[in-house]
């Protein structure tokens, strides 16, 4: 590591500790020539994730968009903000672990809907109405009827 004071390219690590919830390491270094100390940070380099939208446009993945969409869907619902954060973090982690460089927006939307469906059905229907772009009351009712029939099927399996 090059010294910021004398530009010598050799230094030693004096102290090392994790920071930012273990996602980064802070290192105190000392220059082997001028003996001045400086701080460096080391973190894992994330490969940029590209979201491919329905129309073919490509945009950088932004987990805040997912978070904000879920917040809107869960507005005035008994869903803790920490639960939403956890879902968004888990979704982001799974996308990066998939090692896909380009992810269809439909995949992300479906994963959000699965998470919302298990968290809060009202939030799920709100999100689905925007995500699936319901054109009229009939398409909204179709989704509600599908949700009701799934709920009844789950209840039938529990009593058996």
């Amino acid at each position: 590591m090059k010294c910021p004071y004398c530009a010598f390219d050799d230094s030693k690590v004096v102290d090392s500790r994790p920071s930012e919830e273990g996602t980064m390491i802070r290192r105190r270094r000392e220059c082997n020539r001028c003996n001045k100390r400086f701080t460096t940070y080391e973190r894992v380099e994330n490969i940029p994730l590209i979201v491919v939208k329905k129309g073919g446009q490509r945009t950088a993945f932004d987990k805040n968009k997912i978070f904000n969409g879920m917040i809107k869907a869960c507005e005035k619902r008994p869903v803790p903000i920490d639960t939403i954060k956890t879902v968004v973090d888990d979704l982001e982690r799974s996308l990066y672990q998939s090692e896909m460089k380009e992810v269809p927006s439909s995949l992300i939307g479906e994963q959000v809907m699965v998470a919302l469906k298990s968290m809060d059905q009202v939030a799920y229907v709100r999100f689905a109405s925007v995500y699936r772009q319901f054109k009229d009351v009939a398409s909204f009712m179709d989704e509600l009827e599908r949700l009701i029939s799934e709920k009844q099927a789950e209840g039938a399996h529990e009593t058996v």
Side-chain angles (χ1 to χ4, degrees):
M1 182 66 60
K2 191 179 265 189
C3 174
Y5 304 105
C6 71
F8 190 60
D9 65 355
D10 192 24
S11 64
K12 62 182 174 187
V13 175
V14 178
D15 181 42
S16 199
R17 64 181 69 165
S19 65
E20 286 190 21
E21 299 174 6
T23 61
M24 189 172 9
I25 296 177
R26 176 184 184 271
R27 298 193 194 282
R28 285 295 289 160
R29 295 178 174 273
E30 185 176 300
C31 176
N32 288 334
R33 179 188 285 162
C34 70
N35 295 325
K36 289 190 178 181
R37 291 187 176 194
F38 57 98
T39 303
T40 60
Y41 293 90
E42 181 181 318
R43 75 177 60 166
V44 174
E45 182 178 21
N46 283 331
I47 299 166
L49 192 60
I50 303 299
V51 177
V52 182
K53 300 200 175 190
K54 291 177 190 173
Q57 320 87 295
R58 286 168 165 67
T59 182
F61 174 77
D62 182 2
K63 78 178 192 177
N64 289 324
K65 287 183 180 180
I66 298 168
F67 181 73
N68 291 335
M70 290 183 73
I71 289 289
K72 285 179 185 171
C74 295
E75 192 172 9
K76 297 183 182 177
R77 300 297 305 154
V79 179
I81 194 93
D82 288 340
T83 302
I84 296 170
K85 284 181 183 178
T86 300
V87 167
V88 172
D89 289 343
D90 290 347
L91 174 63
E92 180 186 34
R93 189 176 312 107
S94 74
L95 290 172
Y96 277 109
Q97 287 175 347
S98 74
E99 297 182 15
M100 294 171 56
K101 292 181 175 118
E102 293 187 348
V103 178
S105 61
S106 59
L107 176 72
I108 296 170
E110 292 300 323
Q111 289 182 355
V112 169
M113 292 204 350
V114 167
L116 283 172
K117 191 182 240 182
S118 65
M119 287 170 27
D120 186 280
Q121 291 184 345
V122 172
Y124 163 77
V125 171
R126 285 178 179 169
F127 188 88
S129 70
V130 173
Y131 176 70
R132 292 205 174 130
Q133 300 174 337
F134 293 158
K135 304 284 187 243
D136 52 26
V137 175
S139 55
F140 192 81
M141 286 302 297
D142 290 344
E143 186 64 32
L144 288 175
E145 288 170 1
R146 186 174 21 254
L147 190 60
I148 290 167
S149 65
E150 286 175 9
K151 188 79 169 169
Q152 288 172 344
E154 285 176 16
H157 289 295
E158 289 176 5
T159 58
V160 173

